[in-house]
Amino acid sequence: MLKRRRGHRRPPRPAVVAGLSVALLLLVSTMSALASAGQSPRTVTRGGLTVNVPPPGTGVRASALLVTGETRSLAVETAVDGRVLIVEEPGTAALDRDARAASASAPRPDTGVAGSPPACQDGKHNVTGSWWHSTFHWLFKAASKPSNLTIASAEYQLKRSVSNITHSRNDCGLADQVSAVARYDGRTTRGTHIGSNSTCTTTDDVNVVAFGDLSSSTVGFTCWWYRGTTTVEADVQLNKHDFGWAASTSSCFNQYIIQGVATHEFGHVFGLGHVSQASHANLTMSTAIYPCDASDATLGLGDVLGLRTHY
């Protein structure tokens, strides 16, 4: 049932300093500080995620969707003077606590967690500090598709997932006022710059989407690189090593629906952050998704409002 559309205003853009929302900056360290802590100054590891330190003037952010519903995110920027800035989404600890509570309540697919507003009545959203100021061009590594699906089927689901974001597709009666633009440039043999242990590696300004191996509890993983507020590359990988994948609920048996997970991951690509699973479970950008659950392919009010802050 469609919910009655509520009037709303476009939220203001977040205050940005040197490409970072003020609320995101948690820790500033130097290369020497990282080395003295026993960590290679060329990589940073926190919360089970690892990123290669980007070149001066560039940042990299990693976001993982876990089967537990806990959120894993990490961003590292290198200032022009060589200082390394380590940042996170605000409220990460609270999101994890909420996710554990939500998991204990055993939510069912498509119903969310008791106490969460319906998707079309929930305006909650978080955004990250960078977004696409130009067209998002992307490629699909066709040979990586799951063995039970054809290339064409997997390709279609991924294309549809991107358009779910760029056209703010929803069941709430909300008009498409999102100006984000994407173009699919076809199939490729290139891989993503994502390691099997959920690592963001190097960057080449080419955006690739693929299926592959990730840490065993990670269903989907996104890495994106940015300069100031401008995202310049984003790679997405879905874990086919530890999980099965389906194109629709009608053919699903203990598998993940491509559009459900990929729409969430492309939300990150276009600058959306996580929201609490315990309090906002019916939004696409909540931190959990379940097997045979396609509900995240359709955006809620908060998801749409989040996109409108950037586009």
Side-chain angles (χ1 to χ4, degrees), residues 167-185:
H167 292 288
S168 59
R169 192 167 288 122
N170 65 88
D171 289 334
C172 308
L174 298 169
D176 180 15
Q177 298 176 7
V178 171
S179 61
V181 179
R183 193 178 85 182
Y184 178 55
D185 288 340

Side-chain angles (χ1 to χ4, degrees), residues 139-144 187-193 204-210 233:
L139 299 160
F140 171 43
K141 185 179 180 181
S144 71
R187 301 169 185 176
T188 184
T189 58
R190 286 176 176 266
T192 63
H193 289 108
D204 61 3
D205 293 340
V206 178
N207 311 302
V208 178
V209 180
E233 180 183 343

